[in-house]
Amino acid sequence: DVKVTQSSRYLVKRTGEKVFLECVQDMDHENMFWYRQDPGLGLRLIYFSYDVKMKEKGDIPEGYSVSREKKERFSLILESASTNQTSMYLCASTEAGGLTNQPQHFGDGTRLSIL
Amino acid sequence: AQTVTQSQPEMSVQEAETVTLSCTYDTSESNYYLFWYKQPPSRQMILVIRQEAYKQQNATENRFSVNFQKAAKSFSLKISDSQLGDTAMYFCAFMRALYNTDKLIFGTGTRLQVFP
């Protein structure tokens, strides 16, 4: 089974801090994604990556950046955390599938609170 | 732009009964994929079922089946013989059929409670 591991289930940080959320997958997947989940809004894509050192903006990239130095690891960075970034963050990965889209496999999520 | 709408924020069903969750979407694409994901209280998002838009036959996975109406842009999920373990948040999602992969566009979710 595919395993997508997020480093923290719960995280509490202060306004203005630089925050790192880590995600590791063990199936050699090319594609990795960061989503944000808020009640009443569903999941929204922040950033994604098709390959090492490659990144693409999603629908809500403002206030975030990402890093992918190794294929298995995709980091989400909050440059200067703000209270409106309090949310659940979900990482996902999927293999490259040609024209056949593979389902995304998700981690357990990190519930981040910014005080 | 593509959008996904789930109009039922919450639903409940008695154990062993059948329940249908609604989903509509909007797109100008002719080829795409549709998914239903389940998120139980444990939080991990689990794929329940997927449908390729070019297939007319509705997908089924054990007790889960879909009613895919391409012209109406409707993709409902039917859960038969509901079990307590089906209690979860259910998300409908859309993905364009592109080379490699694409982002998922999610609806706002339906919280399903199964009662004994």
Side-chain angles (χ1 to χ4, degrees), chain A residues 76-101:
Chain A
L76 179 68
I77 305 160
L78 285 66
E79 297 290 344
S80 177
S82 63
T83 54
N84 62 13
Q85 292 178 309
T86 291
S87 186
M88 171 83 88
Y89 291 87
L90 288 161
C91 175
S93 75
T94 184
E95 61 185 293
L99 287 175
T100 301
N101 287 287

Side-chain angles (χ1 to χ4, degrees), chain A residues 9-10 31 33 35 37 40-43 45 50 59 88 90 94 96-101 103-104 106 108-110, chain B residues 33 35 37 39 41-45 47 50 89 91 95-109:
Chain A
R9 258 179 99 75
Y10 300 93
N31 307 309
F33 305 80
Y35 293 90
Q37 181 179 0
L41 295 177
L43 282 77
L45 182 67
Y50 288 153
D59 298 316
M88 171 83 88
L90 288 161
T94 184
L99 287 175
T100 301
N101 287 287
Q104 294 183 11
F106 285 82
D108 288 345
T110 295
Chain B
Y33 296 81
F35 304 84
Y37 277 88
Q39 187 181 42
S42 65
R43 292 182 354 200
Q44 182 165 36
M45 197 79 74
L47 178 67
R50 62 179 287 186
M89 195 78 171
F91 291 97
M95 179 190 286
R96 295 176 297 177
L98 302 179
Y99 181 78
N100 187 14
T101 190
D102 191 26
K103 63 181 181 182
L104 282 166
I105 298 169
F106 286 88
T108 53

Side-chain angles (χ1 to χ4, degrees), chain A:
Chain A
D1 275 357
V2 175
K3 185 69 175 176
V4 179
T5 303
Q6 294 184 230
S7 54
S8 306
R9 258 179 99 75
Y10 300 93
L11 204 54
V12 180
K13 295 292 182 179
R14 297 216 171 266
T15 304
E17 278 193 71
K18 190 169 185 176
V19 180
F20 292 85
L21 302 184
E22 306 288 346
C23 175
V24 176
Q25 48 92 5
D26 66 357
M27 285 300 291
D28 202 36
H29 283 171
E30 288 79 6
N31 307 309
M32 297 188 75
F33 305 80
W34 274 107
Y35 293 90
R36 170 177 171 160
Q37 181 179 0
D38 299 289
L41 295 177
L43 282 77
R44 294 174 292 166
L45 182 67
I46 305 171
Y47 267 97
F48 59 103
S49 171
Y50 288 153
D51 203 350
V52 175
K53 295 191 185 297
M54 179 274 178
K55 61 185 179 185
E56 291 283 345
K57 291 181 180 179
D59 298 316
I60 51 165
E62 296 78 18
Y64 303 95
S65 63
V66 290
S67 172
R68 193 159 181 209
E69 296 297 319
K70 293 184 178 181
K71 191 175 185 180
E72 67 271 18
R73 185 181 297 272
F74 191 36
S75 304
L76 179 68
I77 305 160
L78 285 66
E79 297 290 344
S80 177
S82 63
T83 54
N84 62 13
Q85 292 178 309
T86 291
S87 186
M88 171 83 88
Y89 291 87
L90 288 161
C91 175
S93 75
T94 184
E95 61 185 293
L99 287 175
T100 301
N101 287 287
Q102 302 297 317
Q104 294 183 11
H105 301 270
F106 285 82
D108 288 345
T110 295
R111 192 174 294 281
L112 175 65
S113 296
I114 307 295
L115 304 179

Side-chain angles (χ1 to χ4, degrees), chain B residues 56-87:
Chain B
Q56 291 187 334
Q57 188 172 6
N58 289 325
T60 62
E61 287 287 342
N62 301 313
R63 297 182 295 108
F64 298 89
S65 62
V66 298
N67 184 5
F68 173 49
Q69 301 288 328
K70 191 172 184 179
K73 296 181 181 174
S74 170
F75 182 61
S76 60
L77 175 70
K78 185 171 84 170
I79 306 174
S80 304
D81 186 26
S82 297
Q83 300 176 359
L84 296 178
D86 295 334
T87 292

Side-chain angles (χ1 to χ4, degrees), chain A residues 37 42-43, chain B residues 4-11 13 19-23 35-41 45-49 63-64 77-79 82-93 106-114:
Chain A
Q37 181 179 0
L43 282 77
Chain B
V4 177
T5 302
Q6 293 179 251
S7 58
Q8 305 152 314
E10 295 184 352
M11 292 193 73
V13 64
V19 64
T20 298
L21 308 184
S22 301
C23 174
F35 304 84
W36 278 98
Y37 277 88
K38 167 186 177 181
Q39 187 181 42
M45 197 79 74
I46 302 163
L47 178 67
V48 175
I49 199 165
R63 297 182 295 108
F64 298 89
L77 175 70
K78 185 171 84 170
I79 306 174
S82 297
Q83 300 176 359
L84 296 178
D86 295 334
T87 292
M89 195 78 171
Y90 287 81
F91 291 97
C92 178
F106 286 88
T108 53
T110 296
R111 187 174 301 280
L112 177 67
Q113 180 75 48
V114 180

